[in-house]
C-alpha cells in the first residue's frame, strides 16, 4: 500500500499538476507519519550510539527537524552519527551560541 501511494503522489501548483519523482511530496497527508516511521530507526541508532550517549543531554525530532541538546564541542560526533543512517539523508547542524530556532520557536539557554 505504501509503495502504491509513493508511486502516485501529485502536487498541484498554479493550476498545474506535477508527479513527485522521489521522496515524499511536501504537504502529503501521510508524509509526517511515514517520515516519523522511517526516521524512528535513525533516532534509535543515534541516541544509542556509544560515541554519543555520554555527550547527549536530549534529542527530539519532528519530521526532518531535530533538536539536539549537548555541548557544542561534540558537533562532529553528533553529525557523524546522525549521517551514518543512510547515504541519501544528510543532517545539518545549526548553532548560534545559547540561541537556536526550532520549528516556530526561538529557544534560548539562560544561566
Amino acid at each position: 500500500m505504501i509503495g502504491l501511494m509513493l508511486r502516485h503522489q501529485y502536487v498541484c501548483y498554479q493550476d498545474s499538476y506535477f508527479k513527485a519523482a522521489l521522496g515524499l511530496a511536501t504537504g502529503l497527508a501521510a508524509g509526517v507519519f511515514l517520515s516519523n516511521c522511517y526516521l524512528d530507526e535513525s533516532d534509535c541508532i543515534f541516541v544509542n550510539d556509544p560515541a554519543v550517549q555520554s555527550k547527549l543531554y536530549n534529542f527530539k525530532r519532528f519530521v526532518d527537524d531535530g533538536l539536539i541538546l549537548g555541548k557544542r564541542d561534540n558537533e562532529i560526533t553528533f553529525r557523524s552519527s546522525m549521517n551514518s543512517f543512510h547515504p541519501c539523508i544528510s543532517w545539518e547542524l545549526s548553532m548560534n551560541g545559547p540561541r537556536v530556532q526550532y520549528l516556530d520557536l526561538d529557544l534560548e539557554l539562560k544561566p
Side-chain angles (χ1 to χ4, degrees):
M1 184 63 122
I2 291 174
L4 177 68
M5 184 186 69
L6 292 174
R7 287 189 302 275
H8 294 90
Q9 298 178 80
Y10 292 88
V11 177
C12 180
Y13 178 72
Q14 294 183 347
D15 296 328
S16 295
Y17 288 88
F18 301 89
K19 186 174 195 270
L22 182 65
L24 292 169
T26 301
L28 180 67
V32 171
F33 174 75
L34 292 173
S35 294
N36 283 329
C37 287
Y38 184 74
L39 290 175
D40 180 66
E41 183 179 352
S42 170
D43 297 347
C44 291
I45 291 170
F46 175 65
V47 298
N48 292 309
D49 182 339
V52 170
Q53 278 185 331
S54 64
K55 300 171 178 133
L56 182 69
Y57 300 137
N58 205 332
F59 171 72
K60 299 295 177 192
R61 182 186 50 76
F62 179 74
V63 188
D64 61 349
D65 292 309
L67 178 66
I68 297 173
L69 299 178
K71 290 186 178 178
R72 178 187 277 278
D73 57 348
N74 295 308
E75 173 189 358
I76 293 170
T77 302
F78 295 152
R79 186 188 337 235
S80 175
S81 180
M82 291 181 78
N83 287 335
S84 69
F85 175 64
H86 193 281
C88 293
I89 298 175
S90 177
W91 288 90
E92 297 177 12
L93 300 180
S94 302
M95 296 176 291
N96 189 15
R99 289 183 86 157
V100 66
Q101 290 185 336
Y102 179 66
L103 302 175
D104 290 333
L105 302 172
D106 188 22
L107 304 174
E108 182 175 3
L109 181 63
K110 294 189 177 187

